[in-house]
Amino acid sequence: MEFKDRIKITALTIASLAALSSVIFLITSSSSFKHYRRRRRKQQQKQSSSCYLQSHQKPQLSFKRVLLDNSFSQFKHLNLHAPNSSNLHPYEAEIKNLIENPESFEDLYSDHQKMSDFFSYVWIETEAQLKDLAHTLSKHKVFAVDTEQHSLRSFLGFTALIQISTRNEDYLVDTIALHDAMGVLAPVFADPAICKVFHGADNDVLWLQRDFHIYVVNLFDTAKACEVLSKPQKSLAYLLETYCGVATNKLLQREDWRQRPLSAEMLEYAQKDAHYLLYIAGCLIAELNLQDKDNSNCPNDKFDFVLEARRRSNMICLQLYSKEVEASPGESAASSIFSRHLNGQRVSSISYETQDLVRCFCTWRDLMARVHDESLRYVLSDQAIVSLAIKGPTTPEEIFDTIAEADLNVENVNLNSSLPSPSSVVCSHLDDLYYLIKDKKRNADEFFLQILQNCLGPNGSCPLSVYNYALLINCDQIMKNRLVSKQSPVINSKQVARKASRELFVQKFSCKSPVYHNCRIYANDGRLLCYCDKRKLEWYLRRDLAKLVDNDALAIMLLFEPKRMHFPEHLKSHRSHDIVLLCVDCHEVAHAAAEKNKKQVAKEFGIPLFVRKVVDSKEIPVISESSSSTMNVEETGVSPLQLRTAAMALLRHGQRMPPKRHEELTQIVMQYYGGRREISEEDLERALLVGMSPHERRRLEKKRRFSSKHYSEVILLDKEQTGAAYTMAVSATKNSLEKAGTTDGLKTIDMKSAGIKEQDYFMVEDTISNKEMNSDENEASDTKDEYVGNIDDSCEGGRGPLNGTARNDESAPHKNNLKLSLLGHGPHGKQVVDHILEEYGEDGIRQFCQRWRQVLVEAIHPRFLPAGWDVMHSGRRDFGEYSVYNPAYKAPAANT
Ligand code: AMP
Ligand code: MN
Ligand code: ZN
């Protein structure tokens, strides 16, 4: 490559790297760039362990089937009929039918008697009890329901208790303990033949949908009955007092209903809320009937009180839960703050700066609440936002004090609220608030991404959960779009590169088309790992290895880090019997095992892996250590690694190199060519390929095509070849042989006659061995030092070829992939295969392949190999599921 070209590419890459880093720094002015960066780093260090959630357990974190997350995505309703149809009410037809064709209602009021005052209740906290309850309820014509919610320490809230009363019994259902099992009650709630009595069901109906996909069909709402009867009040407290002579303290509804055990007072309150409902409903229906009888004297009046109450009740059932939507996060809260809190001043008198700050705090609060699954009011109060915006504190300490003071003032007025102030969210992310106030050039979008990156990005400060993982996925998507359109940031180039490489790997090699039921498996950091069928998904859920994150589209999030666990492989649908798909981590394990086996093979066959010294075949034949030839190559030859390193350095940096180093390297190359002639650039290029397997050559060539057009003219490229850092999906045979370094040997084997199908099975293979890379580094370091940061490094990295595939985020330098495997071992493999063929024939090759399958199986303990899959691969016997190890949570950690 010409020096000038190199400079150009260097400049280009540096420019794109700079552009990449801009997103994070966009919100800072360029003058404070360095300071910001230093502080940022400090902050990140501090953050990495400072989020309060790292040591804080919230009950909802133990829920496994969570129907909604805190992202901006739409809530997905139960899909009863057509999959993927629009988000309609699953029981719309049944409910409308009830409204239009009401059946007689006798049960509810015919034998209504005053409820006895209650003493006992049944606490439901196990699945067995819940099933019994469902069974019991299915025998009733009517039952009463009430729910208690928790909303302070949750972004969208969750149901903490359901009270169900029949005429005979009061049940208190612990919906925290039974969160994942509550679907058991869905049928009785949806049964049009069973009437459910609520008081003021508007919220309860939506909450049941939100948390459990429970849809109420056939509702009688006592509050609606009050409406129709034009009662002076329609509160439950009023009805309890009027009809039952019972007093209730409604303040208890604000208690923390998550607590267990519930206090006696709360239990009593909860039970009371449902216990009298059937009786009250009976009374109200009797009154409604009375009204109808009175009206029957005037046949012109078609108004039917009972029907109207029932109609209004069932109209409530038609409501659908949905998440609140706003143009940008925190927007509506900001508007309400302007109108409520800043109204003392005329809006025009509020400075633009203050308004802007209020909006930013609202955005921050909204996102932090989503990330941490907390309510807005828990994160930061409105009055604190107003104070912050007006006072503009300039240090983290001042921010702290401003918030505490604002909340204290309000608390004096309203003694009921006793939230910690500042909240734990603010305390552990005080620095974010500080920069928010400090940074003058704010851009809502960038800010938004910044928060998510800080919290949930690679090395983010806050734990990922079922509630915020989708935010991360969305954020990634936004980032990616930005990267493509804007050429943006390096948050931490190394992390981004690593993450990107994994993403790329997953994207590239996981199944792309729907497989089986198209269920998705996400890693616990939000990565989409692969697709699987429903059975596997259930397998994970049953063993507490995963949480359901999307019930409708069926997706789970793994609760363990795949790194520590041998993540089971999933089968590609179209070749399910042939393919073993490995996750990135298993692939690493498999690779290590294969390397080990390769060495073992070398030892057994007495065929060393590496050629120690090479000379130009035109001058002297290639000599390997294993060769019986006694030619003295020690003096004439040179190691392939040394040769290629030297040739590479000369080609890339030759012109800029200190003359002394240039001379040394030239000597090395000359040693290969017999030391008898001048070294041309073509010689150098030829030397680069010495000792490489054809496979490695192709990779190198492909890589260099991207780093220099010059090379692409010299080298014929196979465009279909993947030149990715990770190569994969080689057939069993090919893989095995390649593992033994026998790509050349392949050509000599008639695969069909050897009974080996090209697609016996697939295995992920990483051809860059760390060891080889390291030795490369050692050898090449003295030449590379001067050119640290040179783009050639990034171009030459394993990721090089992928730069062109519209994934600009790939262009971040990725040190681990900068080096090539300079040790070829073609001769070894060829010799092994030749040896096997000669000694044992095709059977030997078959056995050799089996041995490699065995290595794979033993290395990664696959649990889901296809039925009939067999190390021996001896026909079509159906072996069922290949189950080598028990599916313990702490599975053997392979090579870690
Ligand atoms: P209730 O059935 O009246 O006890 O209310 C059901 C749930 O609604 C309670 O558990 C609370 O979470 C919520 N709720 C109702 N009214 C209020 C209120 N005024 N303040 C706070 N939470 C309330
Ligand atoms: Mn209640
Ligand atoms: Zn946090």
Side-chain angles (χ1 to χ4, degrees):
M1 188 202 289
E2 293 303 317
F3 183 56
K4 251 194 205 160
D5 291 345
R6 256 183 266 136
I7 297 279
K8 224 186 269 168
I9 294 176
T10 309
L12 245 171
T13 308
I14 287 170
S16 65
L17 282 179
L20 277 170
S21 33
S22 62
V23 151
I24 347 158
F25 300 125
L26 249 169
I27 60 164
T28 70
S29 61
S30 56
S31 60
S32 62
F33 180 85
K34 269 185 191 158
H35 293 283
Y36 181 84
R37 197 178 187 177
R38 210 178 302 135
R39 282 195 308 262
R40 195 78 233 163
R41 206 177 302 128
K42 259 195 210 157
Q43 182 196 355
Q44 265 165 2
Q45 281 163 6
K46 217 175 93 192
Q47 265 186 0
S48 56
S49 59
S50 70
C51 181
Y52 70 102
L53 280 183
Q54 304 282 4
S55 55
H56 188 96
Q57 251 299 326
K58 300 208 284 185
Q60 66 264 43
L61 291 174
S62 65
F63 299 166
K64 285 196 304 185
R65 288 166 200 258
V66 175
L67 302 174
L68 81 175
D69 57 54
N70 298 343
S71 76
F72 301 93
S73 66
Q74 201 190 24
F75 178 76
K76 289 196 191 109
H77 280 278
L78 176 69
N79 226 322
L80 267 187
H81 308 295
N84 303 323
S85 72
S86 47
N87 221 11
L88 296 175
H89 197 300
Y91 296 98
E92 189 179 315
E94 287 83 349
I95 296 166
K96 282 187 170 163
N97 185 49
L98 276 175
I99 293 171
E100 283 153 25
N101 312 299
E103 279 172 30
S104 94
F105 210 41
E106 278 165 42
D107 291 293
L108 250 177
Y109 63 93
S110 58
D111 66 334
H112 97 265
Q113 50 201 234
K114 190 165 189 308
M115 310 294 282
S116 59
D117 286 340
F118 56 87
F119 301 101
S120 66
Y121 60 86
V122 181
W123 181 257
I124 307 286
E125 60 177 356
T126 69
E127 270 192 71
Q129 292 168 332
L130 189 66
K131 279 178 187 157
D132 281 352
L133 174 60
H135 183 72
T136 305
L137 294 177
S138 71
K139 302 244 155 71
H140 282 80
K141 287 275 173 219
V142 58
F143 60 84
V145 188
D146 185 39
T147 75
E148 302 304 324
Q149 301 293 312
H150 180 77
S151 57
L152 179 65
R153 304 298 307 275
S154 157
F155 185 66
L156 295 165
F158 58 88
T159 304
L161 189 74
I162 295 183
Q163 306 99 289
I164 295 176
S165 295
T166 64
R167 290 209 190 277
N168 323 318
E169 198 76 76
D170 295 328
Y171 302 91
L172 300 182
V173 183
D174 183 347
T175 54
I176 293 178
L178 290 169
H179 182 275
D180 302 326
M182 288 303 294
V184 167
L185 292 184
V188 288
F189 275 93
D191 188 341
I194 304 173
C195 179
K196 274 70 63 174
V197 177
F198 284 69
H199 179 86
D202 307 69
N203 287 324
D204 303 82
V205 158
L206 299 179
W207 290 331
L208 291 172
Q209 295 176 5
R210 176 197 65 192
D211 292 341
F212 315 117
H213 272 177
I214 287 179
Y215 294 82
V216 181
V217 179
N218 191 354
L219 170 71
F220 185 81
D221 189 324
T222 48
K224 289 294 171 206
C226 287
E227 248 177 59
V228 173
L229 288 166
S230 306
K231 291 271 169 195
Q233 283 186 50
K234 57 168 190 173
S235 72
L236 181 63
Y238 165 80
L239 293 176
L240 281 172
E241 205 166 317
T242 311
Y243 291 92
C244 312
V246 170
T248 181
N249 177 10
K250 271 288 161 189
L251 283 176
L252 279 156
Q253 69 194 167
R254 302 178 186 203
E255 286 293 308
D256 184 348
W257 287 97
R258 299 174 302 169
Q259 71 186 66
R260 296 292 182 272
L262 288 166
S263 69
E265 207 186 6
M266 288 164 81
L267 285 168
E268 190 196 312
Y269 168 87
Q271 192 181 354
K272 205 186 276 177
D273 260 3
H275 177 81
Y276 295 102
L277 275 185
L278 290 184
Y279 172 71
I280 292 170
C283 296
L284 292 170
I285 288 164
E287 288 180 38
L288 291 163
N289 273 321
L290 208 64
Q291 293 279 351
D292 286 334
K293 281 205 186 94
D294 289 353
N295 281 352
S296 61
N297 302 331
C298 6
N300 288 341
D301 193 347
K302 287 266 158 62
F303 191 84
D304 186 320
F305 282 78
V306 174
L307 287 187
E308 179 58 16
R310 293 176 68 191
R311 192 188 66 79
R312 291 191 194 179
S313 297
N314 281 314
M315 289 301 282
I316 296 174
C317 298
L318 283 174
Q319 301 287 314
L320 279 173
Y321 175 79
S322 69
K323 293 188 196 176
E324 266 175 52
V325 186
E326 47 185 351
S328 75
E331 188 55 50
S332 60
S335 310
S336 113
I337 286 175
F338 291 139
S339 61
R340 284 186 298 119
H341 294 265
L342 291 168
N343 235 13
Q345 326 164 37
R346 276 169 291 119
V347 178
S348 56
S349 74
I350 306 164
S351 71
Y352 174 77
E353 169 113 53
T354 305
Q355 291 186 33
D356 193 31
L357 272 170
V358 166
R359 280 195 197 92
C360 271
F361 285 124
C362 286
T363 301
W364 182 83
R365 176 174 71 172
D366 182 274
L367 288 177
M368 292 310 258
R370 289 171 192 269
V371 164
H372 297 88
D373 195 32
E374 303 283 8
S375 62
L376 297 179
R377 68 196 164 101
Y378 178 78
V379 175
L380 190 61
S381 65
D382 283 359
Q383 63 267 12
I385 287 181
V386 171
S387 271
L388 287 170
I390 291 171
K391 289 187 183 161
T394 52
T395 65
E397 292 73 24
E398 278 178 39
I399 295 170
F400 191 100
D401 293 342
T402 305
I403 296 171
E405 213 175 281
D407 288 332
L408 197 69
N409 287 340
V410 173
E411 257 175 55
N412 287 338
V413 181
N414 176 11
L415 285 167
N416 267 333
S417 88
S418 51
L419 300 180
S421 174
S423 68
S424 38
V425 181
V426 168
C427 290
S428 42
H429 298 289
L430 200 56
D431 284 358
D432 282 339
L433 266 176
Y434 170 67
Y435 288 109
L436 174 58
I437 295 174
K438 204 164 181 310
D439 296 327
K440 296 281 176 277
K441 262 174 79 180
R442 270 179 302 269
N443 166 321
D445 281 0
E446 308 298 352
F447 181 64
F448 169 99
L449 289 172
Q450 168 94 47
I451 294 171
L452 286 181
Q453 273 302 320
N454 286 353
C455 293
L456 303 176
N459 272 11
S461 53
C462 315
L464 270 154
S465 74
V466 106
Y467 299 96
N468 62 29
Y469 90 105
L471 281 172
L472 179 72
I473 291 167
N474 295 351
C475 167
D476 269 17
Q477 204 49 53
I478 296 162
M479 286 301 244
K480 258 178 223 152
N481 296 343
R482 283 181 178 282
L483 286 167
V484 172
S485 62
K486 280 197 181 172
Q487 280 235 320
S488 302
V490 177
I491 278 106
N492 172 333
S493 62
K494 217 175 175 179
Q495 286 168 356
V496 168
R498 194 179 310 133
K499 201 171 169 221
S501 94
R502 290 181 69 93
E503 267 176 14
L504 178 73
F505 188 93
V506 170
Q507 178 200 310
K508 207 174 168 68
F509 299 123
S510 51
C511 307
K512 284 170 191 77
S513 52
V515 176
Y516 301 112
H517 307 88
N518 201 14
C519 305
R520 286 163 296 146
I521 296 185
Y522 288 97
N524 60 351
D525 62 0
R527 280 174 292 135
L528 177 64
L529 284 177
C530 56
Y531 294 87
C532 69
D533 65 7
K534 228 170 178 169
R535 206 169 50 97
K536 251 161 247 168
L537 188 133
E538 285 298 330
W539 187 92
Y540 279 110
L541 286 172
R542 272 200 309 277
R543 284 162 181 78
D544 287 351
L545 293 170
K547 285 185 186 188
L548 194 69
V549 292
D550 186 342
N551 192 43
D552 205 34
L554 286 171
I556 54 169
M557 181 179 91
L558 298 181
L559 294 172
F560 55 88
E561 241 180 283
K563 194 168 267 169
R564 294 226 257 94
M565 166 95 183
H566 53 284
F567 182 72
E569 320 57 49
H570 298 277
L571 319 174
K572 292 197 179 188
S573 62
H574 49 296
R575 281 188 290 205
S576 63
H577 288 266
D578 301 323
I579 300 161
V580 176
L581 188 63
L582 299 186
C583 73
V584 183
D585 304 297
C586 282
H587 148 257
E588 266 165 32
V589 174
H591 175 73
E595 285 295 311
K596 207 172 136 200
N597 192 44
K598 199 161 80 185
K599 287 189 186 117
Q600 185 62 30
V601 166
K603 213 167 119 192
E604 272 173 38
F605 289 83
I607 302 170
L609 287 172
F610 304 120
V611 177
R612 288 285 160 83
K613 292 257 173 177
V614 288
V615 291
D616 184 7
S617 55
K618 281 182 205 149
E619 324 284 337
I620 310 163
V622 173
I623 308 287
S624 81
E625 215 177 49
S626 63
S627 165
S628 53
S629 162
T630 53
M631 185 158 309
N632 188 356
V633 283
E634 292 301 313
E635 282 128 57
T636 50
V638 58
S639 86
L641 173 68
Q642 245 192 325
L643 174 66
R644 276 145 58 184
T645 310
M648 182 79 79
L650 284 168
L651 277 168
R652 292 160 83 210
H653 313 299
Q655 295 185 19
R656 285 179 291 165
M657 213 172 255
K660 188 165 166 276
R661 184 63 187 155
H662 192 280
E663 178 55 27
E664 279 168 24
L665 295 175
T666 308
Q667 281 301 323
I668 291 171
V669 179
M670 280 172 77
Q671 254 181 296
Y672 169 72
Y673 289 113
R676 289 179 280 104
R677 55 183 175 88
E678 283 288 304
I679 302 300
S680 68
E681 197 158 307
E682 265 124 66
D683 289 335
L684 292 177
E685 272 154 11
R686 198 150 61 83
L688 278 184
L689 305 176
V690 168
M692 281 185 183
S693 68
H695 177 70
E696 283 173 305
R697 281 184 201 184
R698 278 195 300 273
R699 278 183 41 228
L700 174 71
E701 284 155 13
K702 180 112 187 203
K703 267 170 207 155
R704 287 151 106 245
R705 187 165 58 128
F706 284 84
S707 62
S708 160
K709 277 186 182 158
H710 176 78
Y711 286 129
S712 61
E713 287 157 17
V714 178
I715 296 155
L716 284 171
L717 292 167
D718 176 1
K719 290 191 180 163
E720 298 310 309
Q721 277 288 326
T722 344
Y726 297 95
T727 58
M728 61 127 0
V730 284
S731 76
T733 322
K734 205 168 152 216
N735 181 53
S736 307
L737 300 183
E738 270 192 3
K739 283 290 183 187
T742 49
T743 327
D744 283 344
L746 260 184
K747 291 172 191 153
T748 67
I749 301 171
D750 178 351
M751 303 251 292
K752 271 194 192 129
S753 65
I756 299 159
K757 284 190 213 95
E758 178 78 12
Q759 286 142 7
D760 261 3
Y761 77 95
F762 276 63
M763 176 170 163
V764 181
E765 185 199 21
D766 176 358
T767 56
I768 298 182
S769 116
N770 287 327
K771 239 190 226 148
E772 288 167 9
M773 288 199 294
N774 290 341
S775 56
D776 173 26
E777 183 166 45
N778 295 339
E779 294 264 344
S781 58
D782 48 353
T783 54
K784 273 187 183 160
D785 280 351
E786 306 165 49
Y787 309 105
V788 169
N790 190 301
I791 47 85
D792 280 1
D793 289 345
S794 60
C795 287
E796 202 192 288
R799 244 142 278 328
L802 300 155
N803 287 347
T805 59
R807 292 185 56 92
N808 296 349
D809 50 341
E810 299 298 334
S811 61
H814 193 241
K815 204 154 184 277
N816 287 339
N817 292 300
L818 297 185
K819 300 106 204 166
L820 297 170
S821 163
L822 290 186
L823 280 179
H825 28 69
H828 159 82
K830 181 163 171 34
Q831 286 174 37
V832 169
V833 173
D834 287 349
H835 175 80
I836 294 172
L837 271 176
E838 200 178 306
E839 291 286 322
Y840 311 104
E842 286 161 14
D843 269 351
I845 294 290
R846 212 169 290 133
Q847 275 170 25
F848 194 61
C849 290
Q850 287 163 7
R851 172 178 178 165
W852 281 101
R853 290 192 195 115
Q854 191 68 47
V855 167
L856 171 76
V857 167
E858 279 170 11
I860 60 172
H861 317 309
R863 272 181 269 136
F864 294 108
L865 283 168
W869 193 93
D870 174 20
V871 167
M872 308 309 282
H873 191 67
S874 46
R876 288 179 173 271
R877 274 179 294 149
D878 199 338
F879 276 72
E881 217 169 82
Y882 198 98
S883 174
V884 182
Y885 282 78
N886 71 1
Y889 191 171
K890 279 181 187 148
N895 66 343
T896 49

